[in-house]
Amino acid sequence: MNNERIITEALEVLPGGVNSPVRAFKAVGGKPIALVKGRGAKVWDADGREYIDFLASWGPLILGHAHPKVVKAVEEEVWKGLSFGLTNPHEVRLAHLVVEMVPSVEKVRFVNSGTEATMSAVRLARGVTGRKYVVKFDGCYHGHYDSLLVSAGSGVATFGIPGTPGIPEEIAKLTLVVPFNNREAVEETFRRYGDDIACLIVEPVPGNMGVVPPEEGFLQFLREITREYGTLLIFDEVITGFRLAKGGAQELFGVEPDITCLGKVLGGGMPVGAYGGGKEIMSQVAPEGPVYQAGTLSGNPVAMVAGVQTLKELRDREPYEELDRKMERLSEGVAGLLKDKGIAHRINRVGSMMTLFFTDREVRDFASAKTSDTELFAKFFRKLLDNGVLIPPSQFEAWFVSTAHEERDIDEALERISRAVKEL
Ligand SMILES: *Cc1c(COP(=O)(O)O)cnc(C)c1O
């Protein structure tokens, strides 16, 4: 089946032809593609066309596609059985790796997605504190859990889905939304609701309104004000965990949250999420404590071995400087091409994640992110695709590089992007 046939048949049986909205290319127009193969830094579609891949499955593939160690471990495990429903040794190995690598985590519970991780973390925070309000930032995405799908960047921003259809007002009302990088707004919210706020959840480096770095001292400020009010601080490190450093953004910025949410890189391409924290908080999770949370396939052995191999590789190889250099090379290259062409732009980059905004304003929160010319972005995306470069089909997402992107892949990508920019 070629792209056209797959997409046509998909539209008959899947809403929008997809299982996750941003895949439908609605924000960028043109025909969606179906991918059939990935190796290292590249993917191939059903028509046999090759792309240099900066989508990286939306973040998990920090070692590139089909990394030999990951694939081998999965292959061996598959023959031993796909699921047992009781504890298996690989859960324990992966948990030890998480505890070793992530500074604030002493105990961890595995789930099957980032959404489950944030949903469970919020329940735990409410259970532990006996409070009901949740504070989140405008443009931060924490999965599609009811309490967190309010002013949630990414897919929601891309489609302009207004507010929260399907989410009762009574539930949405318990979520307080403030602009990112805005201390006064946070202070004001805590002054008004402080004693009833169970948790503040934040992507320490947001990637879902596009990449927006936290301003100097902002994360420390969040640590202090939550401590002052007895509110739990949740870092949603589903993107940043194991990507910005071995221990994620909390290591990079030296700020430790009470609860950490993980996903994406953690599963090395398999569906894995997790939430973790200090022993005291995690002892409140069932069956040790009263806060219930469960999963038939949680800790699935095949998924766990993919995570184990991925984290071991990251721990032993520490590729973070190398990843940083590669992304710097790419971002500087792209900036140069756009400058030569006289196109106003802004690139936000932290380590191996970046976003290109078509605006002349500094992007420090969701409001400024939205000043980007999304029509120009859509055109840029399509030209890139035509020239064999895949980036996320949405303005409000991050591009990623992996250890599999060699310098020659970056140079080849810049060649292709240069052709695309000429055609703009
Ligand atoms: C992707 C993402 C999620 C949701 O993870 P899923 O596995 O898609 O449910 C949550 N938080 C952040 C920061 C994410 O980027």
Side-chain angles (χ1 to χ4, degrees):
M1 289 209 283
N2 60 14
N3 281 335
E4 176 119 32
R5 175 100 184 271
I6 293 170
I7 301 300
T8 307
E9 291 194 9
L11 283 164
E12 289 169 15
V13 284
L14 300 169
V18 294
N19 283 304
S20 197
V22 267
R23 297 179 193 170
F25 283 26
K26 277 205 163 165
V28 290
K31 289 186 179 154
I33 54 172
L35 297 179
V36 294
K37 191 176 117 178
R39 271 285 179 289
K42 292 179 179 158
V43 289
W44 285 265
D45 71 13
D47 294 348
R49 292 187 37 126
E50 171 205 289
Y51 305 87
I52 298 174
D53 181 22
F54 299 111
L55 174 62
S57 188
W58 306 88
L61 301 180
I62 196 167
L63 302 179
H65 291 270
H67 187 278
K69 284 187 186 167
V70 178
V71 171
K72 184 160 170 281
V74 166
E75 193 177 63
E76 283 174 4
E77 196 57 32
V78 161
W79 287 106
K80 296 178 192 159
L82 298 181
S83 176
F84 305 121
L86 291 179
T87 299
N88 71 73
H90 309 299
E91 298 168 82
V92 186
R93 291 168 70 204
L94 188 58
H96 274 294
L97 282 163
V98 172
V99 168
E100 178 189 333
M101 292 168 78
V102 185
S104 67
V105 174
E106 293 176 333
K107 275 192 177 179
V108 61
R109 167 64 58 84
F110 292 115
V111 291
N112 304 291
S113 68
T115 296
E116 272 186 74
T118 59
M119 175 180 80
S120 309
V122 168
R123 180 183 305 142
L124 177 59
R126 283 174 164 157
V128 168
T129 59
R131 301 172 177 186
K132 60 186 178 187
Y133 283 104
V134 174
V135 176
K136 79 175 284 289
F137 292 96
D138 187 22
C140 277
Y141 177 68
H142 304 293
H144 62 89
Y145 170 47
D146 285 3
S147 288
L148 297 172
L149 198 61
V150 178
S151 302
S154 186
V156 191
T158 306
F159 301 126
I161 294 171
T164 55
I167 300 176
E169 200 188 307
E170 288 84 350
I171 291 177
K173 262 192 343 211
L174 298 179
T175 302
L176 308 168
V177 182
V178 286
F180 191 69
N181 274 330
N182 187 326
R183 293 186 193 210
E184 294 74 40
V186 175
E187 278 165 356
E188 175 59 25
T189 302
F190 273 87
R191 260 198 301 276
R192 286 189 59 187
Y193 297 94
D195 295 338
D196 295 317
I197 300 174
C199 57
L200 178 149
I201 185 166
V202 62
E203 298 179 68
V205 176
N208 289 292
M209 51 179 126
V211 173
V212 177
E215 281 167 10
E216 180 78 38
F218 186 65
L219 297 174
Q220 281 85 352
F221 160 75
L222 296 179
R223 178 64 282 182
E224 282 155 25
I225 194 161
T226 47
R227 199 165 269 150
E228 186 186 331
Y229 283 90
T231 293
L232 297 181
L233 177 62
I234 303 177
F235 273 8
D236 179 353
E237 297 229 42
V238 170
I239 290 184
T240 53
F242 314 107
R243 173 163 289 280
L244 295 184
K246 265 192 309 186
Q250 56 194 269
E251 177 186 322
L252 190 66
F253 292 92
V255 178
E256 293 197 8
D258 300 300
I259 305 176
T260 300
C261 299
L262 299 164
K264 299 199 168 112
V265 172
L266 174 66
M270 298 292 271
V272 182
Y275 62 105
K279 282 193 173 140
E280 202 179 320
I281 285 182
M282 292 309 286
S283 72
Q284 297 300 306
V285 176
E288 224 170 296
V291 182
Y292 194 73
Q293 184 273 312
T296 302
L297 294 172
S298 294
N300 174 272
V302 182
M304 292 291 109
V305 296
V308 167
Q309 290 306 317
T310 302
L311 294 203
K312 270 174 65 182
E313 188 71 6
L314 294 172
R315 180 194 63 185
D316 299 342
R317 191 163 152 193
E318 290 214 46
Y320 298 100
E321 265 176 45
E322 166 201 331
L323 287 168
D324 186 77
R325 264 201 318 278
K326 287 176 184 170
M327 195 48 130
E328 186 180 30
R329 189 184 180 100
L330 179 66
S331 67
E332 285 180 357
V334 171
L337 293 169
L338 292 169
K339 186 154 175 265
D340 291 347
K341 179 91 178 177
I343 296 175
H345 66 279
R346 189 99 205 176
I347 292 180
N348 279 354
R349 180 180 77 86
V350 179
S352 61
M353 52 195 280
M354 76 167 218
T355 301
L356 162 66
F357 297 96
F358 291 105
T359 177
D360 46 18
R361 285 186 49 184
E362 188 197 351
V363 175
R364 60 185 293 268
D365 56 19
F366 195 30
S368 43
K370 283 191 283 196
T371 64
S372 185
D373 181 343
T374 50
E375 266 172 44
L376 183 55
F377 175 83
K379 201 166 164 198
F380 178 73
F381 170 88
R382 292 195 304 268
K383 290 292 179 200
L384 253 52
L385 202 67
D386 289 346
N387 283 284
V389 175
L390 179 63
I391 64 169
S394 160
Q395 171 65 79
F396 306 104
E397 294 285 350
W399 309 19
F400 299 103
V401 289
S402 72
T403 56
H405 287 84
E406 305 288 345
E407 289 204 347
R408 64 169 184 276
D409 295 313
I410 305 283
D411 291 342
E412 173 65 28
L414 285 170
E415 280 282 327
R416 298 181 187 186
I417 295 170
S418 149
R419 286 201 288 277
V421 169
K422 283 201 190 92
E423 295 166 15
L424 270 183

